[in-house]
Amino acid sequence: MAGQSRKWMILVATIWIQAFTGTNFDFSDYSTTLKSVLGLSQVQLNYLAVASDLGKVFGWSSGLTLMYFPLWVVLFTAAFMGFLGYGIQWLLIRNVLTLPYFLVFLLCLLAGCSICWFNTVCFVLCNQNFPANRPLAISLTVSFNGVSAALYTLVANAIDPSSDALYLLLNALIPLLTSVVSLIPILRQPSLDPLPPDAVHRDSLIFLLLNFLAVITDWFRRTIHSSFRYEGSGFILVDADDLELHKELLSRHASSIGSIGNGSLTHPLGDNGSVIAITRQKTGEIEGCCQRILVKDQLAMLGQEHPAGVLVRRFDFWLYYLAYFCGGTIGLVYSNNLGQIAQSLGQSSKTTTLLTLYSSFSFFGRLLSAVPDYIRAKFYFARTGWLTVALLPTPIAFFLLASSDSAFVLHVGTALVGLSSGFIFAAAVSITSELFGPNSVGVNHNILITNIPIGSLVYGCLAALVYDANISSGLGNIVMSDSAVCMGRQCYFLTFLLWGCISVLGLVCSMLLFFRTRHAYDLFEQNRISTQLY
């Protein structure tokens, strides 16, 4: 019982860490001041945002460190990287010292790397202490990472609402203090034996109640509490026995041709688990090129391990990569530009409100990523299908933002982008695990999120070039301190249109991924249900 209670203390510690280490989400709160003090162009400012995201490229280093050092060492290494990265930037913005631009870039890179190290610590804690409910633990804790900007805004406003530099000081100190507070539960981490099924179900109920506490409304409680069956999260491949049984059943199906309706379905498997041939004979079936796109090299089952070399040869992986690249990543770049977007529309005073709105809706989106696990008994839908649904608000938001410069549309668009990107960020770990193997998720997910620094560079440069081009044209620009500022709707109009079109491409890629993986999800669900019946 002591071990069981300590694991919930670890969950609380993980929530603290996540809630106070999403320091890259408040970049917009101090970016305008940073640009002015350092005398940067919009393109140069964008490179600093890219540097923060570029830290994710080195996220693998935290996993490598864990091979040789205990978890608390990784935790405090992350804390001190952030302390140096943000702390020295605070000294810069306070004019205490001066550094060349290249060293400022490296400081942003160091700060961004610290965030990845914190995330690694949290993922490891969830995996070790909640193996049977890993996705529920990750989804709940990661949700609080999305609310970091709102928490930092509350603290900054309580101390000195007029100081943008204060955010950098808080970014340096609060994660370090949080690490100190979290140290005792981590050091007392219990050694837990595998839980019996009834204990797994009990833990699932506790996670459901914790989600209710996170977003509690009377309607939400009445509707869902009366409808859910409290089961273990078999939808996600966290139960090794379910996964092995699924593979065994599928291999039996692969050796024969089963009739389905008035057609037939053949599932011979290749060495890497791909579907070599699928033949369906139905009236009105898609023929030719479209059919080949949907069935070529299809995944035969969920959870098959994909080493990195196999992963990068998968068409499904690149569809997934593009969906993330054109969806969640573009939403993150939007949040990085919120300060300049608000300023260009004459709403600089609303920057903090907008960032809090984005952060809050990102939090709700991350919480919603756990809904598929709970409603599985009532409504089954492949998680790649939920990814498609989650991507839909992003193009709608950008086309709305391009159509109007009103404060109301700016608030609505920001909320939609936050909701969509939050869901994608939280759901991605589970999708990577399901499609390409739970044991390979550490490496494979780090490969996936290389799209974030790439997207930050591409989308950010696109926005910055359009912004600076409007300054060069002399339309509505003013000079503040040593930097020029673009004013007016035209500053981001073209950017919003292009981002909207790009996010439509991401939506199309996610739809293709859903159609190509739907059969694997269906087979897994059928096998799971059949094992419960017998």
Side-chain angles (χ1 to χ4, degrees):
M1 289 300 294
Q4 291 298 311
S5 63
R6 288 206 300 269
K7 80 176 185 181
W8 293 107
M9 284 302 300
I10 289 173
L11 181 72
V12 172
T14 305
I15 289 174
W16 290 342
I17 294 170
Q18 285 287 321
F20 290 108
T21 58
T23 47
N24 57 336
F25 288 110
D26 63 7
F27 178 78
S28 293
D29 266 321
Y30 60 85
S31 61
T32 301
T33 304
L34 189 66
K35 177 184 177 183
S36 177
V37 170
L38 299 181
L40 304 177
S41 69
Q42 187 65 21
V43 172
Q44 288 176 312
L45 182 67
N46 173 70
Y47 287 149
L48 296 185
V50 171
S52 178
D53 294 330
L54 196 61
K56 295 176 176 60
V57 173
F58 302 100
W60 55 268
S61 59
S62 58
L64 184 63
T65 305
L66 276 173
M67 296 174 62
Y68 303 99
F69 297 96
L71 197 63
W72 67 269
V73 172
V74 176
L75 176 67
F76 277 96
T77 302
F80 280 106
M81 284 194 293
F83 179 75
L84 292 175
Y86 289 114
I88 298 176
Q89 287 184 73
W90 176 73
L91 295 176
L92 286 170
I93 208 171
R94 297 290 297 177
N95 292 313
V96 175
L97 55 82
T98 58
L99 289 175
Y101 178 80
F102 176 70
L103 290 181
V104 180
F105 182 92
L106 291 181
L107 288 174
C108 293
L109 179 65
L110 184 65
C113 193
S114 73
I115 299 168
C116 295
W117 281 52
F118 277 123
N119 288 339
T120 298
V121 170
C122 294
F123 293 156
V124 169
L125 288 173
C126 289
N127 287 339
Q128 290 177 348
N129 293 277
F130 301 95
N133 286 288
R134 176 178 58 187
L136 299 181
I138 290 176
S139 132
L140 177 65
T141 55
V142 167
S143 299
F144 285 88
N145 190 253
V147 83
S148 291
L151 294 176
Y152 276 95
T153 298
L154 289 173
V155 176
N157 287 341
I159 299 173
D160 185 359
S162 64
S163 175
D164 293 339
L166 182 59
Y167 285 92
L168 283 167
L169 183 61
L170 294 175
N171 286 352
L173 294 178
I174 291 182
L176 180 59
L177 295 176
T178 304
S179 300
V180 172
V181 174
S182 304
L183 181 61
I184 293 178
I186 292 175
L187 290 178
R188 299 189 64 208
Q189 185 175 182
S191 177
L192 298 174
D193 297 324
L195 296 177
D198 59 333
V200 174
H201 295 167
R202 184 193 62 231
D203 283 0
S204 299
L205 172 60
I206 293 174
F207 277 113
L208 178 61
L209 295 177
L210 290 174
N211 276 278
F212 279 152
L213 290 175
V215 237
I216 185 165
T217 63
D218 292 336
W219 174 88
F220 196 77
R221 177 170 50 81
R222 286 198 305 267
T223 303
I224 300 181
H225 181 78
S226 61
S227 303
F228 282 166
R229 282 166 48 194
Y230 303 117
E231 297 183 79
S233 183
F235 180 70
I236 299 180
L237 297 179
V238 295
D239 191 315
D241 293 335
D242 283 351
L243 177 57
E244 292 306 317
L245 181 58
H246 166 63
K247 291 179 179 179
E248 180 183 347
L249 292 173
L250 190 58
S251 65
R252 293 175 184 173
H253 293 322
S255 63
S256 61
I257 299 177
S259 297
I260 302 180
N262 61 344
S264 62
L265 176 64
T266 308
H267 272 187
L269 302 180
D271 292 337
N272 61 355
S274 62
V275 175
I276 297 175
I278 295 182
T279 306
R280 295 188 179 188
Q281 299 171 345
K282 294 181 180 180
T283 304
E285 181 118 27
I286 298 175
E287 298 286 347
C289 180
C290 292
Q291 185 181 19
R292 286 195 296 272
I293 290 175
L294 290 178
V295 302
K296 183 179 180 182
D297 192 33
Q298 230 172 341
L299 287 171
M301 67 175 72
L302 297 184
Q304 181 136 357
E305 300 299 334
H306 285 67
V310 175
L311 182 80
V312 297
R313 295 197 299 269
R314 276 283 191 189
F315 183 51
D316 291 305
F317 170 73
W318 292 111
L319 286 175
Y320 181 33
Y321 193 93
L322 282 174
Y324 197 116
F325 179 74
C326 300
T329 296
I330 208 169
L332 180 60
V333 177
Y334 172 79
S335 74
N336 288 340
N337 281 268
L338 261 179
Q340 282 67 53
I341 292 171
Q343 185 183 50
S344 68
L345 297 176
Q347 300 186 44
S348 293
S349 61
K350 302 288 186 181
T351 300
T352 298
T353 303
L354 289 169
L355 194 60
T356 302
L357 188 68
Y358 176 91
S359 178
S360 300
F361 274 83
S362 176
F363 170 70
F364 294 137
R366 291 165 190 251
L367 282 179
L368 286 173
S369 69
V371 168
D373 298 288
Y374 288 118
I375 67 173
R376 184 189 67 224
K378 294 288 186 181
F379 178 73
Y380 168 73
F381 196 45
R383 194 175 300 278
T384 47
W386 287 109
L387 176 67
T388 301
V389 174
L391 282 166
L392 186 59
T394 301
I396 294 175
F398 286 132
F399 290 134
L400 276 176
L401 290 166
S403 68
S404 174
D405 59 354
S406 71
F408 175 75
V409 168
L410 182 59
H411 283 73
V412 170
T414 300
L416 288 175
V417 173
L419 186 72
S420 177
S421 58
F423 188 105
I424 295 165
F425 293 148
V429 177
S430 296
I431 294 174
T432 305
S433 174
E434 290 169 356
L435 296 184
F436 308 114
N439 296 330
S440 306
V441 68
V443 174
N444 292 345
H445 194 67
N446 275 319
I447 294 174
L448 171 71
I449 62 174
T450 57
N451 80 82
I452 293 179
I454 296 172
S456 183
L457 176 63
V458 173
Y459 302 141
C461 281
L462 173 65
L465 290 172
V466 172
Y467 184 96
D468 285 345
N470 281 289
I471 291 178
S472 300
S473 68
L475 296 176
N477 63 296
I478 61 175
V479 176
M480 292 185 177
S481 185
D482 295 327
S483 61
V485 176
C486 180
M487 299 297 294
R489 179 184 174 189
Q490 77 282 352
C491 299
Y492 280 92
F493 171 73
L494 181 59
T495 298
F496 289 147
L497 282 181
L498 293 174
W499 282 358
C501 293
I502 291 169
S503 59
V504 169
L505 173 62
L507 183 63
V508 171
C509 289
S510 69
M511 291 176 64
L512 286 174
L513 180 66
F514 165 61
F515 288 129
R516 286 174 54 85
T517 58
R518 181 175 53 180
H519 77 282
Y521 277 96
D522 289 343
L523 283 172
F524 178 78
E525 183 68 5
Q526 291 167 10
N527 291 339
R528 187 189 66 82
I529 293 174
S530 66
T531 58
Q532 290 180 347
L533 294 177
Y534 295 100

